[in-house]
């Protein structure tokens, strides 16, 4: 990659800017530029798209995105130490990289990017799941993004792509598969990163569907699935008691046995329950 963009190897960039990864920021740097380019390619043709990247660090994936032809990249980096390294990349790709030193949870991407938009990131472990749930549960659909190509701990990636009845099946699988198609496209060993995490990582590619598979209010579905899977060992009539005062009747109306547990219920049934809750609450 350095021969393509004229920039130095990432190890040199990290040493020169003293970018030691910070555990409290969930940082693990991916230094192999062949791998970062491969991750960028998992998102498809980027030449007609703007890209949102969260937590670029020293910019390995950023360089991959730009080299693979992304029309424009918005990189949001909370760690100010990384800004000089990212500005060097911006200089190598004039007009194609913007960097914001801010919290990704506070940024409106549409204020900075022009659709079509794809999100591609090696997400910081400490905010990755929260960001994913936000992107999957906006009030309106389709969302502002076409696809998400995101790196997670392998265990989290398996939870996103899990099927009903499996050990990994839960809230993330339901929310991801309600409005999108999700699949694991790459796995990476710990030694690919600096510092090496204790677990394997995986890249998940999520493509937004034109409309949800089943109608439901996203806020209510999110609330129901959170309650159900936070207490997954309990029967649903107990775990969902706080969702609705007459939850047992609504479960039966949705075709769900009140004595069922969360992992036994599929997406269609959860959506039916969310519609009934919404109707009785006037939403």
């Amino acid at each position: 990659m350095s021969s393509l963009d004229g920039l130095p190897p990432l190890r040199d960039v990290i040493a020169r800017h003293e970018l030691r990864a910070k555990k409290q920021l969930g940082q693990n740097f991916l230094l192999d530029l062949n791998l970062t380019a491969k991750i960028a390619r998992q998102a498809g043709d980027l030449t007609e798209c703007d890209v949102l990247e969260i937590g670029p660090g020293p910019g390995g994936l950023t360089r991959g995105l730009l080299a693979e032809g992304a029309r424009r990249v918005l990189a949001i980096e909370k760690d100010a130490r990384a800004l000089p390294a990212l500005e060097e990349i911006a200089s190598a790709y004039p007009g194609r990289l913007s960097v914001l030193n801010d919290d990704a949870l506070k940024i409106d991407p549409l204020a900075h990017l022009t659709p079509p938009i794809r999100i591609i990131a090696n997400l910081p472990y400490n905010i990755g799941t929260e960001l994913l749930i936000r992107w999957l549960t906006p009030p309106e659909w389709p969302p502002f993004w076409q696809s998400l190509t995101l790196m997670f701990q392998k265990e989290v990636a398996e939870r996103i792509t899990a099927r009903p009845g499996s050990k990994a099946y839960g809230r993330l699988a339901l929310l991801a598969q309600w409005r999108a198609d999700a699949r694991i496209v790459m796995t990476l060993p710990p030694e690919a990163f600096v510092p090496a995490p204790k677990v394997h990582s995986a890249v998940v590619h999520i493509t937004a569907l034109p409309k949800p598979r089943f109608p439901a209010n996203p806020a209510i579905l999110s609330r129901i699935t959170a309650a159900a899977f936070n207490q997954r060992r309990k029967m649903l009539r107990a775990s969902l008691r706080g969702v609705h005062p007459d939850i047992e009747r609504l479960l039966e109306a949705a075709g769900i046995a009140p004595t069922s547990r969360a992992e036994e219920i599929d997406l269609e049934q959860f959506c039916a329950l969310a519609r009934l809750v919404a109707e009785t609450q006037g939403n």
Side-chain angles (χ1 to χ4, degrees), residues 16-52:
R16 180 158 46 88
H17 293 289
E18 299 181 351
L19 294 176
R20 186 180 299 275
K22 288 187 176 181
K23 185 176 181 180
Q24 63 267 36
L25 294 177
Q27 292 176 329
N28 295 91
F29 298 148
L30 186 59
L31 303 187
D32 187 334
L33 293 170
N34 292 314
L35 280 177
T36 61
K38 185 176 180 182
I39 293 168
R41 289 193 292 271
Q42 300 305 315
D45 184 0
L46 301 177
T47 55
E48 301 298 325
C49 297
D50 281 7
V51 173
L52 173 63

PDB file of all heavy atoms in Angstrom, residues 16-52:
ATOM      1  N   ARG A  16       6.581   7.332  14.862  1.00  0.00           N
ATOM      2  CA  ARG A  16       6.905   8.754  14.713  1.00  0.00           C
ATOM      3  C   ARG A  16       5.944   9.639  15.487  1.00  0.00           C
ATOM      4  O   ARG A  16       6.319  10.661  16.050  1.00  0.00           O
ATOM      5  CB  ARG A  16       6.895   9.114  13.219  1.00  0.00           C
ATOM      6  CG  ARG A  16       7.225  10.565  12.909  1.00  0.00           C
ATOM      7  CD  ARG A  16       7.728  10.714  11.474  1.00  0.00           C
ATOM      8  NE  ARG A  16       6.902   9.984  10.535  1.00  0.00           N
ATOM      9  CZ  ARG A  16       5.815  10.482   9.940  1.00  0.00           C
ATOM     10  NH1 ARG A  16       5.426  11.717  10.217  1.00  0.00           N
ATOM     11  NH2 ARG A  16       5.126   9.759   9.071  1.00  0.00           N
ATOM     12  N   HIS A  17       4.657   9.229  15.534  1.00  0.00           N
ATOM     13  CA  HIS A  17       3.649  10.040  16.225  1.00  0.00           C
ATOM     14  C   HIS A  17       3.343   9.520  17.637  1.00  0.00           C
ATOM     15  O   HIS A  17       2.442  10.031  18.296  1.00  0.00           O
ATOM     16  CB  HIS A  17       2.356  10.074  15.397  1.00  0.00           C
ATOM     17  CG  HIS A  17       2.496  10.809  14.091  1.00  0.00           C
ATOM     18  ND1 HIS A  17       2.636  12.169  14.024  1.00  0.00           N
ATOM     19  CD2 HIS A  17       2.537  10.341  12.818  1.00  0.00           C
ATOM     20  CE1 HIS A  17       2.741  12.532  12.750  1.00  0.00           C
ATOM     21  NE2 HIS A  17       2.690  11.441  12.002  1.00  0.00           N
ATOM     22  N   GLU A  18       4.107   8.505  18.062  1.00  0.00           N
ATOM     23  CA  GLU A  18       3.948   7.948  19.408  1.00  0.00           C
ATOM     24  C   GLU A  18       2.496   7.550  19.685  1.00  0.00           C
ATOM     25  O   GLU A  18       1.913   7.908  20.708  1.00  0.00           O
ATOM     26  CB  GLU A  18       4.452   8.947  20.459  1.00  0.00           C
ATOM     27  CG  GLU A  18       5.924   9.281  20.297  1.00  0.00           C
ATOM     28  CD  GLU A  18       6.435  10.246  21.349  1.00  0.00           C
ATOM     29  OE1 GLU A  18       5.615  10.794  22.110  1.00  0.00           O
ATOM     30  OE2 GLU A  18       7.664  10.451  21.418  1.00  0.00           O
ATOM     31  N   LEU A  19       1.950   6.759  18.778  1.00  0.00           N
ATOM     32  CA  LEU A  19       0.539   6.369  18.875  1.00  0.00           C
ATOM     33  C   LEU A  19       0.378   5.009  19.557  1.00  0.00           C
ATOM     34  O   LEU A  19      -0.149   4.057  18.975  1.00  0.00           O
ATOM     35  CB  LEU A  19      -0.091   6.336  17.475  1.00  0.00           C
ATOM     36  CG  LEU A  19      -0.210   7.679  16.771  1.00  0.00           C
ATOM     37  CD1 LEU A  19      -0.755   7.506  15.364  1.00  0.00           C
ATOM     38  CD2 LEU A  19      -1.119   8.605  17.577  1.00  0.00           C
ATOM     39  N   ARG A  20       0.800   4.915  20.777  1.00  0.00           N
ATOM     40  CA  ARG A  20       0.579   3.684  21.533  1.00  0.00           C
ATOM     41  C   ARG A  20      -0.924   3.502  21.772  1.00  0.00           C
ATOM     42  O   ARG A  20      -1.605   4.421  22.218  1.00  0.00           O
ATOM     43  CB  ARG A  20       1.321   3.738  22.866  1.00  0.00           C
ATOM     44  CG  ARG A  20       1.265   2.437  23.663  1.00  0.00           C
ATOM     45  CD  ARG A  20       2.017   2.584  24.966  1.00  0.00           C
ATOM     46  NE  ARG A  20       3.427   2.893  24.729  1.00  0.00           N
ATOM     47  CZ  ARG A  20       4.353   1.979  24.498  1.00  0.00           C
ATOM     48  NH1 ARG A  20       4.014   0.695  24.457  1.00  0.00           N
ATOM     49  NH2 ARG A  20       5.615   2.321  24.300  1.00  0.00           N
ATOM     50  N   ALA A  21      -1.431   2.296  21.447  1.00  0.00           N
ATOM     51  CA  ALA A  21      -2.868   2.044  21.585  1.00  0.00           C
ATOM     52  C   ALA A  21      -3.313   2.183  23.035  1.00  0.00           C
ATOM     53  O   ALA A  21      -2.622   1.733  23.953  1.00  0.00           O
ATOM     54  CB  ALA A  21      -3.208   0.651  21.069  1.00  0.00           C
ATOM     55  N   LYS A  22      -4.479   2.797  23.238  1.00  0.00           N
ATOM     56  CA  LYS A  22      -5.036   2.992  24.572  1.00  0.00           C
ATOM     57  C   LYS A  22      -6.186   2.015  24.809  1.00  0.00           C
ATOM     58  O   LYS A  22      -7.164   2.001  24.054  1.00  0.00           O
ATOM     59  CB  LYS A  22      -5.549   4.423  24.740  1.00  0.00           C
ATOM     60  CG  LYS A  22      -4.451   5.467  24.855  1.00  0.00           C
ATOM     61  CD  LYS A  22      -5.040   6.834  25.183  1.00  0.00           C
ATOM     62  CE  LYS A  22      -3.957   7.868  25.404  1.00  0.00           C
ATOM     63  NZ  LYS A  22      -4.542   9.202  25.747  1.00  0.00           N
ATOM     64  N   LYS A  23      -6.052   1.225  25.851  1.00  0.00           N
ATOM     65  CA  LYS A  23      -7.073   0.236  26.163  1.00  0.00           C
ATOM     66  C   LYS A  23      -8.409   0.894  26.467  1.00  0.00           C
ATOM     67  O   LYS A  23      -9.471   0.389  26.088  1.00  0.00           O
ATOM     68  CB  LYS A  23      -6.634  -0.624  27.351  1.00  0.00           C
ATOM     69  CG  LYS A  23      -7.567  -1.764  27.696  1.00  0.00           C
ATOM     70  CD  LYS A  23      -7.013  -2.623  28.813  1.00  0.00           C
ATOM     71  CE  LYS A  23      -7.946  -3.789  29.127  1.00  0.00           C
ATOM     72  NZ  LYS A  23      -7.412  -4.643  30.214  1.00  0.00           N
ATOM     73  N   GLN A  24      -8.393   2.049  27.155  1.00  0.00           N
ATOM     74  CA  GLN A  24      -9.645   2.707  27.540  1.00  0.00           C
ATOM     75  C   GLN A  24     -10.423   3.233  26.337  1.00  0.00           C
ATOM     76  O   GLN A  24     -11.617   3.505  26.431  1.00  0.00           O
ATOM     77  CB  GLN A  24      -9.387   3.832  28.542  1.00  0.00           C
ATOM     78  CG  GLN A  24      -8.532   4.982  28.027  1.00  0.00           C
ATOM     79  CD  GLN A  24      -7.064   4.796  28.341  1.00  0.00           C
ATOM     80  OE1 GLN A  24      -6.562   3.680  28.311  1.00  0.00           O
ATOM     81  NE2 GLN A  24      -6.376   5.892  28.667  1.00  0.00           N
ATOM     82  N   LEU A  25      -9.748   3.367  25.191  1.00  0.00           N
ATOM     83  CA  LEU A  25     -10.421   3.793  23.966  1.00  0.00           C
ATOM     84  C   LEU A  25     -10.761   2.605  23.070  1.00  0.00           C
ATOM     85  O   LEU A  25     -11.263   2.791  21.957  1.00  0.00           O
ATOM     86  CB  LEU A  25      -9.546   4.785  23.193  1.00  0.00           C
ATOM     87  CG  LEU A  25      -9.307   6.138  23.870  1.00  0.00           C
ATOM     88  CD1 LEU A  25      -8.364   6.990  23.035  1.00  0.00           C
ATOM     89  CD2 LEU A  25     -10.630   6.873  24.104  1.00  0.00           C
ATOM     90  N   GLY A  26     -10.511   1.398  23.553  1.00  0.00           N
ATOM     91  CA  GLY A  26     -10.824   0.206  22.767  1.00  0.00           C
ATOM     92  C   GLY A  26      -9.974   0.076  21.522  1.00  0.00           C
ATOM     93  O   GLY A  26     -10.419  -0.458  20.510  1.00  0.00           O
ATOM     94  N   GLN A  27      -8.725   0.545  21.564  1.00  0.00           N
ATOM     95  CA  GLN A  27      -7.891   0.587  20.374  1.00  0.00           C
ATOM     96  C   GLN A  27      -7.071  -0.685  20.187  1.00  0.00           C
ATOM     97  O   GLN A  27      -6.406  -1.156  21.100  1.00  0.00           O
ATOM     98  CB  GLN A  27      -6.933   1.786  20.448  1.00  0.00           C
ATOM     99  CG  GLN A  27      -7.626   3.127  20.357  1.00  0.00           C
ATOM    100  CD  GLN A  27      -6.638   4.277  20.542  1.00  0.00           C
ATOM    101  OE1 GLN A  27      -5.647   4.155  21.248  1.00  0.00           O
ATOM    102  NE2 GLN A  27      -6.923   5.404  19.909  1.00  0.00           N
ATOM    103  N   ASN A  28      -7.146  -1.237  18.979  1.00  0.00           N
ATOM    104  CA  ASN A  28      -6.255  -2.299  18.526  1.00  0.00           C
ATOM    105  C   ASN A  28      -5.962  -1.986  17.072  1.00  0.00           C
ATOM    106  O   ASN A  28      -6.871  -2.009  16.238  1.00  0.00           O
ATOM    107  CB  ASN A  28      -6.905  -3.686  18.656  1.00  0.00           C
ATOM    108  CG  ASN A  28      -7.179  -4.068  20.096  1.00  0.00           C
ATOM    109  OD1 ASN A  28      -8.254  -3.791  20.622  1.00  0.00           O
ATOM    110  ND2 ASN A  28      -6.211  -4.696  20.730  1.00  0.00           N
ATOM    111  N   PHE A  29      -4.727  -1.679  16.738  1.00  0.00           N
ATOM    112  CA  PHE A  29      -4.385  -1.209  15.402  1.00  0.00           C
ATOM    113  C   PHE A  29      -4.084  -2.378  14.461  1.00  0.00           C
ATOM    114  O   PHE A  29      -3.365  -3.311  14.818  1.00  0.00           O
ATOM    115  CB  PHE A  29      -3.172  -0.279  15.456  1.00  0.00           C
ATOM    116  CG  PHE A  29      -3.392   0.967  16.273  1.00  0.00           C
ATOM    117  CD1 PHE A  29      -2.335   1.538  16.969  1.00  0.00           C
ATOM    118  CD2 PHE A  29      -4.639   1.569  16.353  1.00  0.00           C
ATOM    119  CE1 PHE A  29      -2.519   2.691  17.725  1.00  0.00           C
ATOM    120  CE2 PHE A  29      -4.833   2.724  17.102  1.00  0.00           C
ATOM    121  CZ  PHE A  29      -3.771   3.280  17.795  1.00  0.00           C
ATOM    122  N   LEU A  30      -4.645  -2.297  13.255  1.00  0.00           N
ATOM    123  CA  LEU A  30      -4.400  -3.279  12.209  1.00  0.00           C
ATOM    124  C   LEU A  30      -3.353  -2.683  11.273  1.00  0.00           C
ATOM    125  O   LEU A  30      -3.609  -1.686  10.596  1.00  0.00           O
ATOM    126  CB  LEU A  30      -5.703  -3.575  11.456  1.00  0.00           C
ATOM    127  CG  LEU A  30      -5.696  -4.674  10.407  1.00  0.00           C
ATOM    128  CD1 LEU A  30      -5.296  -6.007  11.028  1.00  0.00           C
ATOM    129  CD2 LEU A  30      -7.083  -4.794   9.778  1.00  0.00           C
ATOM    130  N   LEU A  31      -2.153  -3.268  11.244  1.00  0.00           N
ATOM    131  CA  LEU A  31      -1.022  -2.654  10.560  1.00  0.00           C
ATOM    132  C   LEU A  31      -0.775  -3.179   9.151  1.00  0.00           C
ATOM    133  O   LEU A  31      -0.083  -2.531   8.367  1.00  0.00           O
ATOM    134  CB  LEU A  31       0.254  -2.851  11.389  1.00  0.00           C
ATOM    135  CG  LEU A  31       0.220  -2.313  12.822  1.00  0.00           C
ATOM    136  CD1 LEU A  31       1.605  -2.434  13.450  1.00  0.00           C
ATOM    137  CD2 LEU A  31      -0.269  -0.878  12.863  1.00  0.00           C
ATOM    138  N   ASP A  32      -1.306  -4.343   8.819  1.00  0.00           N
ATOM    139  CA  ASP A  32      -1.082  -4.944   7.501  1.00  0.00           C
ATOM    140  C   ASP A  32      -1.965  -4.238   6.476  1.00  0.00           C
ATOM    141  O   ASP A  32      -3.183  -4.410   6.461  1.00  0.00           O
ATOM    142  CB  ASP A  32      -1.395  -6.434   7.563  1.00  0.00           C
ATOM    143  CG  ASP A  32      -1.035  -7.168   6.274  1.00  0.00           C
ATOM    144  OD1 ASP A  32      -1.015  -6.531   5.203  1.00  0.00           O
ATOM    145  OD2 ASP A  32      -0.804  -8.390   6.333  1.00  0.00           O
ATOM    146  N   LEU A  33      -1.345  -3.440   5.608  1.00  0.00           N
ATOM    147  CA  LEU A  33      -2.114  -2.666   4.637  1.00  0.00           C
ATOM    148  C   LEU A  33      -2.754  -3.535   3.566  1.00  0.00           C
ATOM    149  O   LEU A  33      -3.720  -3.118   2.920  1.00  0.00           O
ATOM    150  CB  LEU A  33      -1.224  -1.595   4.013  1.00  0.00           C
ATOM    151  CG  LEU A  33      -0.787  -0.490   4.998  1.00  0.00           C
ATOM    152  CD1 LEU A  33       0.273   0.390   4.380  1.00  0.00           C
ATOM    153  CD2 LEU A  33      -1.986   0.335   5.441  1.00  0.00           C
ATOM    154  N   ASN A  34      -2.248  -4.746   3.359  1.00  0.00           N
ATOM    155  CA  ASN A  34      -2.927  -5.678   2.459  1.00  0.00           C
ATOM    156  C   ASN A  34      -4.267  -6.104   3.061  1.00  0.00           C
ATOM    157  O   ASN A  34      -5.269  -6.232   2.349  1.00  0.00           O
ATOM    158  CB  ASN A  34      -2.054  -6.900   2.199  1.00  0.00           C
ATOM    159  CG  ASN A  34      -0.819  -6.570   1.386  1.00  0.00           C
ATOM    160  OD1 ASN A  34      -0.903  -5.867   0.379  1.00  0.00           O
ATOM    161  ND2 ASN A  34       0.327  -7.056   1.819  1.00  0.00           N
ATOM    162  N   LEU A  35      -4.289  -6.300   4.384  1.00  0.00           N
ATOM    163  CA  LEU A  35      -5.534  -6.668   5.045  1.00  0.00           C
ATOM    164  C   LEU A  35      -6.529  -5.515   5.053  1.00  0.00           C
ATOM    165  O   LEU A  35      -7.725  -5.713   4.842  1.00  0.00           O
ATOM    166  CB  LEU A  35      -5.258  -7.122   6.480  1.00  0.00           C
ATOM    167  CG  LEU A  35      -4.765  -8.555   6.668  1.00  0.00           C
ATOM    168  CD1 LEU A  35      -4.470  -8.819   8.141  1.00  0.00           C
ATOM    169  CD2 LEU A  35      -5.785  -9.556   6.152  1.00  0.00           C
ATOM    170  N   THR A  36      -6.048  -4.304   5.306  1.00  0.00           N
ATOM    171  CA  THR A  36      -6.983  -3.167   5.328  1.00  0.00           C
ATOM    172  C   THR A  36      -7.587  -2.936   3.946  1.00  0.00           C
ATOM    173  O   THR A  36      -8.768  -2.606   3.835  1.00  0.00           O
ATOM    174  CB  THR A  36      -6.295  -1.888   5.844  1.00  0.00           C
ATOM    175  OG1 THR A  36      -5.210  -1.532   4.995  1.00  0.00           O
ATOM    176  CG2 THR A  36      -5.791  -2.077   7.256  1.00  0.00           C
ATOM    177  N   ALA A  37      -6.812  -3.144   2.905  1.00  0.00           N
ATOM    178  CA  ALA A  37      -7.359  -3.023   1.545  1.00  0.00           C
ATOM    179  C   ALA A  37      -8.384  -4.114   1.274  1.00  0.00           C
ATOM    180  O   ALA A  37      -9.418  -3.875   0.636  1.00  0.00           O
ATOM    181  CB  ALA A  37      -6.227  -3.087   0.517  1.00  0.00           C
ATOM    182  N   LYS A  38      -8.114  -5.324   1.800  1.00  0.00           N
ATOM    183  CA  LYS A  38      -9.057  -6.429   1.615  1.00  0.00           C
ATOM    184  C   LYS A  38     -10.374  -6.142   2.326  1.00  0.00           C
ATOM    185  O   LYS A  38     -11.460  -6.420   1.798  1.00  0.00           O
ATOM    186  CB  LYS A  38      -8.443  -7.725   2.138  1.00  0.00           C
ATOM    187  CG  LYS A  38      -9.289  -8.960   1.875  1.00  0.00           C
ATOM    188  CD  LYS A  38      -8.570 -10.222   2.327  1.00  0.00           C
ATOM    189  CE  LYS A  38      -9.426 -11.462   2.056  1.00  0.00           C
ATOM    190  NZ  LYS A  38      -8.747 -12.701   2.529  1.00  0.00           N
ATOM    191  N   ILE A  39     -10.308  -5.556   3.520  1.00  0.00           N
ATOM    192  CA  ILE A  39     -11.526  -5.179   4.236  1.00  0.00           C
ATOM    193  C   ILE A  39     -12.307  -4.150   3.431  1.00  0.00           C
ATOM    194  O   ILE A  39     -13.534  -4.249   3.283  1.00  0.00           O
ATOM    195  CB  ILE A  39     -11.187  -4.629   5.628  1.00  0.00           C
ATOM    196  CG1 ILE A  39     -10.607  -5.741   6.501  1.00  0.00           C
ATOM    197  CG2 ILE A  39     -12.429  -4.025   6.302  1.00  0.00           C
ATOM    198  CD1 ILE A  39      -9.984  -5.245   7.794  1.00  0.00           C
ATOM    199  N   ALA A  40     -11.610  -3.162   2.885  1.00  0.00           N
ATOM    200  CA  ALA A  40     -12.269  -2.141   2.078  1.00  0.00           C
ATOM    201  C   ALA A  40     -12.999  -2.768   0.891  1.00  0.00           C
ATOM    202  O   ALA A  40     -14.121  -2.366   0.547  1.00  0.00           O
ATOM    203  CB  ALA A  40     -11.255  -1.112   1.598  1.00  0.00           C
ATOM    204  N   ARG A  41     -12.395  -3.773   0.283  1.00  0.00           N
ATOM    205  CA  ARG A  41     -13.019  -4.410  -0.884  1.00  0.00           C
ATOM    206  C   ARG A  41     -14.265  -5.200  -0.533  1.00  0.00           C
ATOM    207  O   ARG A  41     -15.122  -5.438  -1.401  1.00  0.00           O
ATOM    208  CB  ARG A  41     -11.998  -5.314  -1.591  1.00  0.00           C
ATOM    209  CG  ARG A  41     -10.911  -4.536  -2.324  1.00  0.00           C
ATOM    210  CD  ARG A  41     -10.124  -5.440  -3.256  1.00  0.00           C
ATOM    211  NE  ARG A  41      -9.317  -6.420  -2.552  1.00  0.00           N
ATOM    212  CZ  ARG A  41      -8.058  -6.213  -2.152  1.00  0.00           C
ATOM    213  NH1 ARG A  41      -7.474  -5.046  -2.373  1.00  0.00           N
ATOM    214  NH2 ARG A  41      -7.381  -7.164  -1.536  1.00  0.00           N
ATOM    215  N   GLN A  42     -14.413  -5.620   0.735  1.00  0.00           N
ATOM    216  CA  GLN A  42     -15.610  -6.356   1.136  1.00  0.00           C
ATOM    217  C   GLN A  42     -16.868  -5.499   1.009  1.00  0.00           C
ATOM    218  O   GLN A  42     -17.984  -6.025   0.956  1.00  0.00           O
ATOM    219  CB  GLN A  42     -15.478  -6.860   2.575  1.00  0.00           C
ATOM    220  CG  GLN A  42     -14.318  -7.790   2.834  1.00  0.00           C
ATOM    221  CD  GLN A  42     -14.306  -9.000   1.919  1.00  0.00           C
ATOM    222  OE1 GLN A  42     -15.331  -9.636   1.695  1.00  0.00           O
ATOM    223  NE2 GLN A  42     -13.134  -9.308   1.389  1.00  0.00           N
ATOM    224  N   ALA A  43     -16.701  -4.177   0.986  1.00  0.00           N
ATOM    225  CA  ALA A  43     -17.849  -3.278   0.877  1.00  0.00           C
ATOM    226  C   ALA A  43     -18.292  -3.064  -0.562  1.00  0.00           C
ATOM    227  O   ALA A  43     -19.294  -2.380  -0.800  1.00  0.00           O
ATOM    228  CB  ALA A  43     -17.512  -1.935   1.519  1.00  0.00           C
ATOM    229  N   GLY A  44     -17.563  -3.618  -1.526  1.00  0.00           N
ATOM    230  CA  GLY A  44     -17.938  -3.464  -2.926  1.00  0.00           C
ATOM    231  C   GLY A  44     -17.298  -2.231  -3.555  1.00  0.00           C
ATOM    232  O   GLY A  44     -16.366  -1.633  -3.024  1.00  0.00           O
ATOM    233  N   ASP A  45     -17.831  -1.845  -4.701  1.00  0.00           N
ATOM    234  CA  ASP A  45     -17.311  -0.695  -5.451  1.00  0.00           C
ATOM    235  C   ASP A  45     -17.605   0.593  -4.687  1.00  0.00           C
ATOM    236  O   ASP A  45     -18.768   0.931  -4.444  1.00  0.00           O
ATOM    237  CB  ASP A  45     -17.961  -0.662  -6.829  1.00  0.00           C
ATOM    238  CG  ASP A  45     -17.408   0.441  -7.719  1.00  0.00           C
ATOM    239  OD1 ASP A  45     -16.516   1.195  -7.278  1.00  0.00           O
ATOM    240  OD2 ASP A  45     -17.890   0.559  -8.866  1.00  0.00           O
ATOM    241  N   LEU A  46     -16.554   1.325  -4.330  1.00  0.00           N
ATOM    242  CA  LEU A  46     -16.711   2.534  -3.530  1.00  0.00           C
ATOM    243  C   LEU A  46     -16.608   3.818  -4.353  1.00  0.00           C
ATOM    244  O   LEU A  46     -16.729   4.915  -3.798  1.00  0.00           O
ATOM    245  CB  LEU A  46     -15.647   2.573  -2.431  1.00  0.00           C
ATOM    246  CG  LEU A  46     -15.635   1.400  -1.446  1.00  0.00           C
ATOM    247  CD1 LEU A  46     -14.469   1.560  -0.468  1.00  0.00           C
ATOM    248  CD2 LEU A  46     -16.952   1.285  -0.710  1.00  0.00           C
ATOM    249  N   THR A  47     -16.400   3.702  -5.638  1.00  0.00           N
ATOM    250  CA  THR A  47     -16.073   4.884  -6.441  1.00  0.00           C
ATOM    251  C   THR A  47     -17.206   5.904  -6.499  1.00  0.00           C
ATOM    252  O   THR A  47     -16.947   7.088  -6.710  1.00  0.00           O
ATOM    253  CB  THR A  47     -15.678   4.483  -7.865  1.00  0.00           C
ATOM    254  OG1 THR A  47     -16.732   3.698  -8.446  1.00  0.00           O
ATOM    255  CG2 THR A  47     -14.397   3.667  -7.852  1.00  0.00           C
ATOM    256  N   GLU A  48     -18.436   5.471  -6.294  1.00  0.00           N
ATOM    257  CA  GLU A  48     -19.575   6.401  -6.343  1.00  0.00           C
ATOM    258  C   GLU A  48     -20.166   6.635  -4.955  1.00  0.00           C
ATOM    259  O   GLU A  48     -21.305   7.106  -4.842  1.00  0.00           O
ATOM    260  CB  GLU A  48     -20.661   5.850  -7.284  1.00  0.00           C
ATOM    261  CG  GLU A  48     -20.205   5.630  -8.709  1.00  0.00           C
ATOM    262  CD  GLU A  48     -19.756   6.920  -9.383  1.00  0.00           C
ATOM    263  OE1 GLU A  48     -20.367   7.977  -9.093  1.00  0.00           O
ATOM    264  OE2 GLU A  48     -18.801   6.881 -10.178  1.00  0.00           O
ATOM    265  N   CYS A  49     -19.409   6.320  -3.902  1.00  0.00           N
ATOM    266  CA  CYS A  49     -19.950   6.389  -2.541  1.00  0.00           C
ATOM    267  C   CYS A  49     -19.092   7.263  -1.634  1.00  0.00           C
ATOM    268  O   CYS A  49     -17.869   7.324  -1.776  1.00  0.00           O
ATOM    269  CB  CYS A  49     -20.015   4.988  -1.921  1.00  0.00           C
ATOM    270  SG  CYS A  49     -21.116   3.850  -2.757  1.00  0.00           S
ATOM    271  N   ASP A  50     -19.758   7.913  -0.678  1.00  0.00           N
ATOM    272  CA  ASP A  50     -19.072   8.492   0.462  1.00  0.00           C
ATOM    273  C   ASP A  50     -18.998   7.421   1.543  1.00  0.00           C
ATOM    274  O   ASP A  50     -19.905   6.578   1.657  1.00  0.00           O
ATOM    275  CB  ASP A  50     -19.826   9.707   1.002  1.00  0.00           C
ATOM    276  CG  ASP A  50     -19.595  10.962   0.177  1.00  0.00           C
ATOM    277  OD1 ASP A  50     -18.962  10.868  -0.894  1.00  0.00           O
ATOM    278  OD2 ASP A  50     -20.071  12.035   0.585  1.00  0.00           O
ATOM    279  N   VAL A  51     -17.942   7.471   2.350  1.00  0.00           N
ATOM    280  CA  VAL A  51     -17.720   6.447   3.376  1.00  0.00           C
ATOM    281  C   VAL A  51     -17.568   7.111   4.737  1.00  0.00           C
ATOM    282  O   VAL A  51     -16.846   8.105   4.884  1.00  0.00           O
ATOM    283  CB  VAL A  51     -16.463   5.604   3.057  1.00  0.00           C
ATOM    284  CG1 VAL A  51     -16.142   4.657   4.219  1.00  0.00           C
ATOM    285  CG2 VAL A  51     -16.661   4.818   1.760  1.00  0.00           C
ATOM    286  N   LEU A  52     -18.248   6.557   5.731  1.00  0.00           N
ATOM    287  CA  LEU A  52     -18.073   6.958   7.123  1.00  0.00           C
ATOM    288  C   LEU A  52     -17.191   5.926   7.811  1.00  0.00           C
ATOM    289  O   LEU A  52     -17.500   4.733   7.787  1.00  0.00           O
ATOM    290  CB  LEU A  52     -19.434   7.036   7.818  1.00  0.00           C
ATOM    291  CG  LEU A  52     -19.422   7.282   9.335  1.00  0.00           C
ATOM    292  CD1 LEU A  52     -18.808   8.636   9.662  1.00  0.00           C
ATOM    293  CD2 LEU A  52     -20.837   7.175   9.902  1.00  0.00           C
TER     294      LEU A  52
END
